[in-house]
Every structure is written in structure tokens, then in C-alpha cells.
Amino acid sequence: MLLLDDDNTHMHAFVYPENWKPIEKDMVEAEDDFMIPKHKFDFVDLSDLFALASGFENIESPEFSTDIIGVIEDFERVKPINTMFGEKNIVKFRITDGRYSHRVTVWGKLAVTTDAIYDKIVDRPIIAIIASSKLKIYRSSVQISTLPSSKIYLNLDSEFVSAMLLRLEEEGYKAPENVVAPPVEAPVIPVIQTLTLRELLGKTNSDDIKKNFMCYVKITNVEETGNWWYYSCSYCLEEAYKLEGKFKCSKCPKSTPVAEKRYRIVVLAGDSTEALNFVLFDRAAKRILSESATKMLSDNITTVGYPLKIKAMAGKEVTFNVTISSDNVLLNSKIFNVTDAYVTTFSESSPSEETVNGVSISSYSEEK
């Protein structure tokens, strides 16, 4: 499973069956909101699957499963086969990103559902997201199969599918004619000190680096320089850039076929003592704007420059959670990073309580 926090940062985890069974009935799938997305994937580029699978110490039971995305080709209808565990239904197809492709086998009830839903989808090509798949090397090829925990999404209404379709279009991908083959305990929360901006400027000791402080300010201006969002690495959240059809992280060695969009907005804010520039990163900006960068882009696709909703942050009174960076101490930089923010209004629901409703998903998912 992927454990996800409201900063959209994730980590891999697994639970042994004997520990999961006592809590299984109490686990529910939470509603989506703008802080924690309903769907979260940790994609591996299809070009990297062979190296990943080759590195597994236990090829029959890898420690972690893998999320992949691509176009379905050569779809073979559901059929029963005999196994050492009895008769099982399977569906087979090939998944491709236009450059690399691998064979996929879907097992059991999930195979039956896949076959039934496949015919009902009108839009082509069909983009499949296979969450929690199992990889294996067989005769120098990657074999992908499903697990009891696997989910499959077809043409999911998400930025990942849109990005994949755009990538395929840019690279001139054309689906082959034979797309269908013949039938066959609670943590202790530390108290964060509240400072004036003048006191914040006094945090110049090396011991202050990476410490957090709260500052109550009024945003006076949105600095419309550069872009207000960026593509980010899904692993370390640093900026990612597109290279050879996939996104490479500027910091870590990871790559992914699609990248997340995250806020990075520079504002001028002040209190009675000082006025300083602050960089609002994704979590802080979402708190104030009550929507994700992807949603903001979707709503302002024809807008040139900064959307009005971002500009309207000027005049808001907020509490910033400021992190002291090494640049603030070593280079005496007076631009501070804001990792979280809280709008100081109590007459309405706070942004963290709002949710995004009415999400339309052209997909299916089912656990075996």
C-alpha cells in the first residue's frame, strides 16, 4: 500500500495478513479532498521495469508491488486455464507507452471484470493504470501480473491519464488495428514558536536551519515573476524536467512517465515590524486557495499569466509556517520558504475541511 499525507508525500508499506485481518472491517476508503487526493500512484516508467525486476532478491515474492501506466494493445478475451490451484480465469494484453511494451496477465475476478468493462469503453486508446502489480523476469522479458491487492483503472479521469495521452500525441503514437485479439499511538506534536518578522530575521545561527516558526502576516502582493506552478518529482518533490519523453528529477536519480503539478508562488507579506518575501510551496498554497494546482490549471486553461484567484490572495491575513533554510543562514537570504499556512478566519469552514465533490471517473476498479 501507499501511505499518503496531506502534503501528497507517500511511502511504501505492507501489512502481514495476521495483522491486517483484525482491522480489515474497520478500514474504509476515505472521500477525496484537495489536500489528500483520492488516487495516488507511484509510477515506474516502462523502460525501467526490467532493471527493477532484475534487482529483486525474491523474484517470487517481491517486497513491494509496482504501479504502471500505458496503452492497452492486443487485448485477449477472458478464458479459463488450469493451474495447480484449480481452474482460474485470465485476461492477457500488452501495455505500452509507445516506446516500450510488456505483457500483462490479469487473474481471477479482476480478469472477468476487466473483460466486461473493456467493451463498454468508447474512447480509444484505452489508458490502463495497474496499481499494485507483480513483476517477474521470464526468458529475458518482463512479465506483469496482478495480485489480490491489485486495482485496474481504465481511462481514469485524472491528470496522469491526460499527461500520458498528450505524450502519446506529441510522439505520434498510433494504436494498431488489432487492438482486440480473437476470443480465447498518537504522536506528540511539538509546539512551534511564534515570531514577528523582525525576530524571524534574527534566526541566523546554524542551529536554526530546518527549524519551523509561526508568523502572523498580511499578504500585500503576489509577485508575478516566473511560473506559479512546476512539475515535481513524486519521490522527493523537487522540480522535474522532461527529457526523452519522461520526467527526470533535478535532484534524485528517479524518473517517471508523468509528473505532478505543484504550487510555487512568491508573495510579499508583512506585519507591524517588517515586510518580507515568502515562497509558498504546494501545501501552503493549497491551504489558502482551497484547490490543487492541477484544478487551478484546469479552471484557467485559457488564462494568460496568474489566475485571478491567486492574485486575490493579496489582502488576506494568514499564519505562515516558515522553515529556515541554509540560504537564510549562510547567505543571509531574506526570502523564506512557507511549508504550511492557516487562513485566520473562523466564520467559515477552514480550507482543510473542504472537499472536492462531483468527480467523474471513466474507469473501474475492483479487488480480487
Side-chain angles (χ1 to χ4, degrees):
M1 69 176 74
L2 289 177
L3 299 181
L4 185 66
D5 66 11
D6 61 5
D7 195 28
N8 209 8
T9 303
H10 68 267
M11 65 178 292
H12 288 270
F14 66 90
V15 182
Y16 290 107
E18 59 268 26
N19 295 329
W20 178 261
K21 288 181 180 179
I23 63 172
E24 183 177 13
K25 293 182 179 179
D26 297 325
M27 303 298 290
V28 295
E29 189 169 5
E31 291 294 326
D32 183 22
D33 63 28
F34 67 91
M35 292 301 294
I36 301 181
K38 183 176 182 179
H39 297 101
K40 175 67 176 180
F41 308 104
D42 188 3
F43 292 119
V44 176
D45 197 87
L46 297 187
S47 63
D48 296 331
L49 293 187
F50 187 89
L52 178 64
S54 299
F56 291 148
E57 293 184 6
N58 187 341
I59 60 174
E60 293 300 329
S61 299
E63 186 175 8
F64 297 112
S65 56
T66 306
D67 296 346
I68 56 176
I69 183 172
V71 181
I72 289 181
E73 292 183 351
D74 301 330
F75 188 88
E76 298 179 11
R77 310 315 298 259
V78 64
K79 66 178 181 180
I81 64 169
N82 292 318
T83 73
M84 61 184 298
F85 304 105
E87 189 176 87
K88 299 287 185 180
N89 288 311
I90 65 167
V91 156
K92 291 187 175 183
F93 56 84
R94 186 170 290 277
I95 192 166
T96 179
D97 60 4
R99 298 181 177 188
Y100 297 86
S101 66
H102 302 286
R103 296 293 299 175
V104 178
T105 302
V106 183
W107 292 85
K109 292 189 295 182
L110 193 56
V112 176
T113 306
T114 304
D115 185 75
I117 297 297
Y118 184 87
D119 283 336
K120 297 179 181 179
I121 298 179
V122 176
D123 296 335
R124 293 294 192 274
I126 295 179
I127 305 295
I129 294 175
I130 306 176
S132 190
S133 68
K134 178 181 177 180
L135 306 181
K136 185 177 180 180
I137 302 297
Y138 178 70
R139 293 183 178 178
S140 300
S141 296
V142 177
Q143 303 292 318
I144 304 168
S145 60
T146 55
L147 297 160
S149 59
S150 297
K151 288 189 175 184
I152 297 179
Y153 302 85
L154 302 184
N155 284 355
L156 180 67
D157 183 13
S158 79
E159 61 176 300
F160 309 112
V161 172
S162 299
M164 176 58 72
L165 287 170
L166 181 60
R167 168 182 170 177
L168 293 168
E169 182 180 350
E170 290 175 347
E171 297 182 358
Y173 170 81
K174 291 185 179 180
E177 295 295 329
N178 60 330
V179 292
V180 179
V184 285
E185 295 181 352
V188 176
I189 301 175
V191 176
I192 301 177
Q193 184 181 1
T194 300
L195 303 178
T196 66
L197 296 190
R198 184 168 295 168
E199 289 171 332
L200 182 67
L201 286 174
K203 296 298 177 181
T204 58
N205 296 325
S206 58
D207 291 343
D208 293 322
I209 296 176
K210 295 186 178 181
K211 285 186 178 180
N212 292 336
F213 299 96
M214 307 298 284
C215 297
Y216 175 74
V217 300
K218 182 177 181 179
I219 298 174
T220 56
N221 188 49
V222 176
E223 308 285 350
E224 297 181 49
T225 56
N227 207 352
W228 54 268
W229 66 275
Y230 69 101
Y231 287 113
S232 82
C233 173
S234 60
Y235 299 91
C236 68
L237 308 186
E238 292 293 326
E239 188 163 6
Y241 59 94
K242 196 170 185 180
L243 179 66
E244 298 180 349
K246 55 186 176 181
F247 289 92
K248 298 278 189 179
C249 179
S250 58
K251 183 177 181 180
C252 73
K254 302 288 187 179
S255 63
T256 180
V258 293
E260 297 178 15
K261 300 176 183 70
R262 301 175 72 86
Y263 287 111
R264 183 170 55 202
I265 304 170
V266 180
V267 301
L268 177 66
D271 61 10
S272 60
T273 65
E274 281 286 353
L276 300 171
N277 280 119
F278 296 90
V279 182
L280 306 185
F281 286 99
D282 197 65
R283 188 177 193 176
K286 283 193 293 187
R287 294 280 195 194
I288 299 172
L289 298 168
S290 300
E291 62 183 71
S292 68
T294 300
K295 181 68 163 54
M296 184 71 73
L297 276 168
S298 176
D299 291 344
N300 296 274
I301 194 167
T302 60
T303 301
V304 178
Y306 278 49
L308 290 177
K309 191 169 184 178
I310 294 180
K311 296 179 181 181
M313 288 195 298
K316 289 184 178 292
E317 295 182 350
V318 295
T319 300
F320 283 163
N321 188 333
V322 181
T323 302
I324 304 296
S325 70
S326 57
D327 285 351
N328 297 139
V329 173
L330 303 178
L331 303 179
N332 197 30
S333 171
K334 293 180 173 57
I335 302 176
F336 291 87
N337 295 333
V338 180
T339 55
D340 212 340
Y342 310 93
V343 179
T344 53
T345 175
F346 302 98
S347 59
E348 302 175 359
S349 297
S350 68
S352 62
E353 294 171 343
E354 297 178 8
T355 59
V356 177
N357 297 318
V359 178
S360 175
I361 301 172
S362 300
S363 70
Y364 77 92
S365 64
E366 176 186 314
E367 293 182 320
K368 285 168 60 179

